Amino acid sequence: MPQAPQTGESGWGEAPPPSRRPEAAYEQTGAMAAHAYNEPTPYNEATSRNEPPRRNEPTPYNEPGPRGNPRPPGPVPSHGPAPSPGPSPEHEPRRRAPQGSRRRGSGEQETRSRSNQETMVSDGPRRARRSGGGPGGPAEPPRPPEDGDRPRWRRFIPSWKIVVASFVVLSAGIFGMIAVAYANTPVPTQSQVQDGVKDQESIIYDAHGKELARLGTKRVPLELQQVPRAVQDAVIAAENDTFREDAGISFSGMVRSLWSTVSGEQVQGASTITQQMARAYYDGLSQERTIQRKVKEIFVAVKLNKQLPKEQILEQYLNTIYFGRGAYGIGAAADAFFNKKVEKLTPEQGAYLAGRIQNPDAFDLAEKAGKLEATEFRYDYVIRQMAKLNPQAYGGLAAKTPTAPKRIKYKPKDYFQGLRGYMVEAVLNELEARSISREDVDKGGYRIYSTLDMKLMRAAKAAVNQHTGSLTPEINAMLAAVNPTNGRILAFYGGDDYAKDAWNDAFLSQKQAASAFKPYVLAAWLDVGYSLRSWVPTKGPVKLPGTTPIDNDHSMKSSAVDVVAATASSVNTAYAKMGEKVGLDKVIDIASKAGLSETRLKDAESRHHYLITIGSSQVTAVEQAGGYSIFANGGKHFDNHVIIKVEDKSGNIVFTEDKTATQVISPEAAADATAALQAVVKSGTGRSAALYDRPTGGKTGTNNENKEAWYVGFTPQISTAVGMFRQECRTKGGKIVKPVNDTCPWARGKSKKYTMQNPYSTAFEVTLGAGFQGATYPAAIWKTFMTEATKGQKVVPFPPRADTGISEDLVPKPEPTSTPTPTPDPDNLDQGPDESCGFVEPCDEDSNVSVDPNVDDFPENGEEDTGFLGDQDGAGQATMPESSMPSRREQQ
């Protein structure tokens, strides 16, 4: 009786016959690979009909053999059910192989291994043909999986040892990189403080020390001890409650911050006070939304926390952080929201300000729209955080003050409007000339003390409006007042409202001086050594080289008068000959040293020659007021200026006013010139400008056709110039349109045809009208202003007439007549007009033979200029053609 195979022997049941081909084993192996272990073989119709199986389908029992021959009928293999007409093979119970048949010898295991390898690389049809068992025995069971009984998905999970090793290596690399990056992150120094974090607004003060304007960054630097402890605690409670103990960073906050950076939500959230200060105070930390920037910020915060005391970090933070309403730092915020100094803030006010740090711009917009929910929510949050921080000190705030404290109404101050706008602009222009730019002003924290008096500015505006309010808006007036003893510009009128008309007539409008220029000729005459008793001509016309004949506008009783009478009556012929005698170079030298533009003076000389002696040169109101100071101040001139001194943020003097005077003419010449100019007011063309309580000197001036009219006068304490002119706005087609805020409109409705470069209308200077002379409207404005400006001032007399120099008679002294014309005595000028003027008729205003400075009267052929353009009108008066002038804004 054959023995059952032992453990390790091959075969399932009886051993195969010795004559069995090796292929049989191979085929059995293939069959075992093709069928699941101990699974029933599916029944197939093709098998029952002995038809060949379809390609690529499983081969049932009785399928063709491996060489294409059909398998002979025989007993069903022991491991599979026999085909029968009974129930479906799928429901046949499986039969197990003998228990010991799974053990194989080593040789058969090697053969099976090779067979399985070959089977795995075999094509589909061949595996199908090998699915059945060999003719000598049952098919072999399938090889167990290589990875044991683990599911397939677990084959891709690495061993825990690999995971741990990888984590250790990765962590070491990351911490190594962090350590290197931390070591290479420099600690910021004071030289790396950001531009702007110490910026402060500059303050401009008026002549009385009152605040005129604040320009630039609102910041009031403070030391920490100036900030109440409750305000400090409020900021700490709102932004970083562990500030006083932490190492400059918060690990939980760091995670939130990094996450918010990655997710794009609340980028700056969760940063400590030290981190916020580092980002806002020092260079090198941008506002980018990147992990790299956040990590660098953390490193810097840690290092700063080790290097700087907490007090310094908090102080820098409180002076840097933005609170809204344009206020940077707690000092500026206290002023902007509560109109208080920071030392006076209450805990509730500190809590409100601390709550704003989170998003100040959003709070500004919401509060402006009347939406206070966010404000109240944030305030409530801060006071509750304060209670957690210090229950004993702040535990009762929520019950005591449950709503945010009342703030002052926010009214952004626009300093560039009204009279203030002109004043601020004048100061800024002078700073620019002293190499302090507007940008420097906005961040430099300067204290700028100006010469301007707001009270006198209002008085100037009132005087102009009082006398011109009923006139056409085409008529413009300008006024400037200067202290002759130091050159300080006290007040001016250049317009009513800077916001509507930024053109400042007092500084910018250049108009012919007319007869108001004659005092500079008088100063030259006296300074070279000629006296007031010299006789000068009154008959004309006077013909001078390269100049249109000059005449007077009134008939004269005599052929000559002395210099005092010539000045009081504004005799053109006399001053033309006086200018010829002293030379135009001397006249220009005196006038330029008195503050007039030397460039414009020389230009007028080159184009108009001796007409400059009677006022063809252009001047401004400010120049004229400063120029006449040489008569009021003993021949000395100080440069006109609007700034007394400038201090930097540390209180150091940046510069002060120039206190060096230029001695333009001798004191004796100034005294005699003042005597002659007093005669103008007492008995001459300027009688309407006389003040009731003090002596004054001055001079009228009216251009040809009354296009410009002036009155310039002075006391020992103040010199004031008033000028008037008229501009007509015309379109290219000649249509006259009304000016808008003293400016010719360049636009026309919604039309896009017109631009600033191609304006709808242009300014043309035209005559003021028959009723306008220096002695009328300008003198009236001057008197009204000076009456107010001299209120309370001590009455200071002028120095007595020196009466120096030699008599230089330009014409023979006239022969006495039976009714001689007396020479005016400056010390006793109470005679009537018929007795003092030397005219057939009373002393009317003088008309000036001059040219329009806007007409280029250079001959095109280069010939010498022989006079002015236009026709003679009346007694030597020139009628000039109207000339086009650019609008005043374009001139600027």
Side-chain angles (χ1 to χ4, degrees), residues 240-302:
N240 179 197
D241 57 1
T242 62
F243 168 73
R244 299 192 190 276
E245 298 83 26
D246 63 32
I249 59 172
S250 167
F251 288 102
S252 59
M254 235 168 27
V255 173
R256 293 195 304 271
S257 182
L258 289 172
W259 167 249
S260 65
T261 302
V262 172
S263 62
E265 301 175 0
Q266 197 179 349
V267 177
Q268 295 184 356
S271 295
T272 64
I273 285 176
T274 308
Q275 288 175 260
Q276 293 181 57
M277 186 277 290
R279 181 171 60 243
Y281 196 81
Y282 294 104
D283 275 330
L285 292 175
S286 67
Q287 302 296 328
E288 295 177 319
R289 305 184 179 188
T290 63
I291 296 292
Q292 180 182 3
R293 193 273 297 168
K294 182 63 68 176
V295 171
K296 186 176 181 181
E297 175 186 301
I298 292 170
F299 292 164
V300 172
V302 172

Side-chain angles (χ1 to χ4, degrees), residues 230-567:
V231 177
Q232 299 179 35
D233 288 344
V235 173
I236 291 172
E239 292 296 308
N240 179 197
D241 57 1
T242 62
F243 168 73
R244 299 192 190 276
E245 298 83 26
D246 63 32
I249 59 172
S250 167
F251 288 102
S252 59
M254 235 168 27
V255 173
R256 293 195 304 271
S257 182
L258 289 172
W259 167 249
S260 65
T261 302
V262 172
S263 62
E265 301 175 0
Q266 197 179 349
V267 177
Q268 295 184 356
S271 295
T272 64
I273 285 176
T274 308
Q275 288 175 260
Q276 293 181 57
M277 186 277 290
R279 181 171 60 243
Y281 196 81
Y282 294 104
D283 275 330
L285 292 175
S286 67
Q287 302 296 328
E288 295 177 319
R289 305 184 179 188
T290 63
I291 296 292
Q292 180 182 3
R293 193 273 297 168
K294 182 63 68 176
V295 171
K296 186 176 181 181
E297 175 186 301
I298 292 170
F299 292 164
V300 172
V302 172
K303 289 195 172 186
L304 284 174
N305 189 75
K306 291 181 178 180
Q307 180 171 310
L308 301 180
K310 288 286 188 180
E311 291 75 14
Q312 183 176 348
I313 293 173
L314 185 59
E315 179 182 303
Q316 292 181 178
Y317 178 79
L318 290 174
N319 280 324
T320 304
I321 204 70
Y322 182 59
F323 286 87
R325 293 192 179 185
Y328 290 85
I330 192 69
D335 179 71
F337 289 92
F338 301 107
N339 193 28
K340 284 185 174 183
K341 291 186 176 181
V342 70
E343 294 89 342
K344 302 295 183 180
L345 290 178
T346 65
E348 292 86 351
Q349 291 170 339
Y352 169 80
L353 293 177
R356 286 188 130 265
I357 295 173
Q358 184 188 56
N359 199 340
D361 289 329
F363 285 117
D364 279 347
L365 292 174
E367 290 181 356
K368 184 178 180 181
K371 300 176 181 179
L372 304 179
E373 295 83 0
T375 295
E376 294 298 336
F377 176 83
R378 189 65 178 163
Y379 169 75
D380 181 71
Y381 167 78
V382 176
I383 60 175
R384 293 186 184 279
Q385 287 294 107
M386 291 173 68
K388 292 179 182 179
L389 191 69
N390 190 338
Q392 184 176 358
Y394 312 119
L397 287 181
K400 177 184 175 183
T401 315
T403 58
K406 186 177 180 180
R407 285 81 65 192
I408 63 173
K409 190 174 181 181
Y410 182 43
K411 292 182 178 180
K413 295 181 181 179
D414 183 2
Y415 298 108
F416 291 92
Q417 61 181 352
L419 296 178
R420 191 183 304 268
Y422 296 109
M423 299 166 75
V424 172
E425 185 201 42
V427 171
L428 293 176
N429 288 342
E430 187 164 314
L431 288 172
E432 185 78 34
R434 300 295 294 265
S435 300
I436 298 178
S437 68
R438 173 61 192 275
E439 182 181 359
D440 296 332
V441 172
D442 285 345
K443 65 182 182 180
Y446 295 107
R447 299 296 179 264
I448 304 159
Y449 298 88
S450 78
T451 65
L452 301 173
D453 188 328
M454 178 60 82
K455 180 181 176 181
L456 293 183
M457 290 287 296
R458 294 192 181 104
K461 178 183 177 180
V464 170
N465 290 337
Q466 176 182 335
H467 294 285
T468 64
S470 61
L471 302 176
T472 172
E474 294 177 345
I475 294 177
N476 297 270
M478 49 191 173
L479 179 152
V482 174
N483 184 337
T485 65
N486 51 31
R488 296 178 181 178
I489 299 173
L490 303 176
F492 60 85
Y493 175 80
D496 284 340
D497 188 350
Y498 182 87
K500 296 178 179 179
D501 178 19
W503 182 267
N504 188 339
D505 282 310
F507 284 81
L508 301 174
S509 291
Q510 302 169 9
K511 301 300 175 182
Q512 282 189 356
S515 290
F517 184 84
K518 289 174 181 175
Y520 303 111
V521 180
L522 173 62
W525 175 267
L526 295 170
D527 196 59
V528 297
Y530 302 138
S531 75
L532 293 176
R533 300 188 183 279
S534 303
W535 290 86
V536 291
T538 60
K539 299 294 183 181
V542 173
K543 296 181 179 181
L544 299 173
T547 305
T548 301
I550 298 173
D551 207 343
N552 302 308
D553 62 349
H554 291 287
S555 299
M556 306 296 294
K557 289 182 180 180
S558 62
S559 60
V561 291
D562 66 10
V563 172
V564 174
T567 303

Side-chain angles (χ1 to χ4, degrees), residues 788-810:
E788 185 67 25
T790 58
K791 273 185 180 179
Q793 286 188 347
K794 181 181 179 180
V795 176
V796 179
F798 290 116
R801 174 174 169 172
D803 204 16
T804 59
I806 62 173
S807 295
E808 179 64 23
D809 298 336
L810 301 181

Side-chain angles (χ1 to χ4, degrees), residues 99 102 120 172 177 208 215 223 227 284 337 351 354 399 451 453 567 582 628 640 681 724 735 780-781 837 851 865:
Q99 185 71 28
R102 299 194 183 193
M120 292 176 67
M177 288 188 294
H208 301 289
L215 303 177
E223 295 182 358
V227 183
F337 289 92
T451 65
D453 188 328
T567 303
V582 299
Y628 275 45
N640 300 331
V681 179
M724 299 183 70
K735 180 182 177 181
I781 293 171
C837 291
V851 298
D865 180 15

Side-chain angles (χ1 to χ4, degrees), residues 172-186 295 299 303:
I174 292 175
F175 282 109
M177 288 188 294
I178 291 175
V180 172
Y182 178 81
N184 290 330
T185 300
V295 171
F299 292 164
K303 289 195 172 186

Side-chain angles (χ1 to χ4, degrees), residues 712-735:
V712 186
F714 56 93
T715 68
Q717 298 107 318
I718 185 169
S719 173
T720 299
V722 177
M724 299 183 70
F725 60 96
R726 181 174 183 174
Q727 289 187 150
E728 193 174 77
C729 301
R730 300 179 189 173
T731 66
K732 292 181 180 179
K735 180 182 177 181

Side-chain angles (χ1 to χ4, degrees), residues 148-164:
D149 295 330
R150 288 193 301 170
R152 183 180 297 273
W153 59 271
R154 295 188 63 186
R155 300 177 188 176
F156 299 99
I157 298 178
S159 164
W160 67 270
K161 296 180 180 180
I162 297 176
V163 172
V164 171

